[in-house]
Amino acid sequence: MMHTEPGVFGAISHPARRRMLDLLVDGDRPVNEIAENFEMSRPAVSQHLRVLLGAGLVTEQRHGRERRYRLVPEQLEPVRDWLAHYERFWDDNFTRLRRHLEKGEER
Amino acid sequence: MMHTEPGVFGAISHPARRRMLDLLVDGDRPVNEIAENFEMSRPAVSQHLRVLLGAGLVTEQRHGRERRYRLVPEQLEPVRDWLAHYERFWDDNFTRLRRHLEKGEER
DNA sequence: TTGACAGGTAAGCATCTCCTTACGCATTAT
DNA sequence: ATAATGCGTAAGGAGATGCTTACCTGTCAA
């Protein structure tokens, strides 16, 4: 009877759901277009989308008989915040930035 | 029979496991010291630690009859890399700076 | 109106997850 | 040697997950 909202970490724990979010980075998409990218049945895709909806990671807009799903990237912030706790183990952002830009200049 | 390696995303999907990693940020710890911080039984803690081990997020060192667990923060990189995909949506200072500098480089 | 299309919901199932208690095996202390 | 400590493994159960097929509703097209 836990009925706990799985939350963002649970939502992104499934590779299919991460790929769905990745697809939506490039723009809103109707379910069928999302489903084309997966082997599983369309209802299974719908169910994954419901999990993403529940975590607030996507919203849906109805357009006629389509439902377009839209990414809500701000909802990934808990992940980002948690990860930030570990950033000091990498190098910090500005070190990475400098390296990135230097690599760019080498070309 | 799937026996699929759950991977890092699965490992961090449980709040208790995230808290265990958080504890290990401050240094290696034996199991009992970790377990003090949780309501669940010690075997349950052991099982969570095994998941973290399986994901490569911790290692264990035997010291006498203790086993100290050590964080392996580099293993969080898949999460970081995946998240980086979404960085352009946050538009914090760092992102704006990077974009500014990259634009400057185009010349 | 009839049908095709988009897509959600229901039910059922196999499997995984997470917890518990019971127990085993080293290692250290007495 | 015996007991206590540290911690893992085994077994089992409740519930969650992830999939499937079957079905339903709402919209557009002929």
Side-chain angles (χ1 to χ4, degrees), chain A residues 29-32 60-69:
Chain A
R29 295 200 190 300
V31 175
N32 276 335
E60 78 177 16
Q61 283 90 30
R62 286 159 202 238
H63 282 276
R65 58 184 161 183
E66 281 185 353
R67 302 191 189 191
R68 301 187 154 270
Y69 282 86

Side-chain angles (χ1 to χ4, degrees), chain B residues 41-48:
Chain B
S41 68
R42 198 196 34 71
V45 172
S46 269
Q47 286 157 19
H48 281 302

Side-chain angles (χ1 to χ4, degrees), chain B residues 30-32 42-43 46 50 65 67 69:
Chain B
V31 175
N32 276 337
R42 198 196 34 71
S46 269
R50 278 189 87 226
R65 59 183 161 183
R67 303 192 189 190
Y69 282 86

Side-chain angles (χ1 to χ4, degrees), chain B residues 28-71:
Chain B
D28 305 1
R29 296 200 189 301
V31 175
N32 276 337
E33 208 175 311
I34 296 171
E36 283 168 13
N37 296 274
F38 296 88
E39 298 290 303
M40 69 188 92
S41 68
R42 198 196 34 71
V45 172
S46 269
Q47 286 157 19
H48 281 302
L49 287 170
R50 278 189 87 226
V51 173
L52 293 173
L53 264 175
L57 286 164
V58 300
T59 56
E60 75 175 21
Q61 282 91 31
R62 286 159 202 239
H63 283 276
R65 59 183 161 183
E66 283 185 350
R67 303 192 189 190
R68 304 189 153 268
Y69 282 86
R70 171 169 301 169
L71 183 65

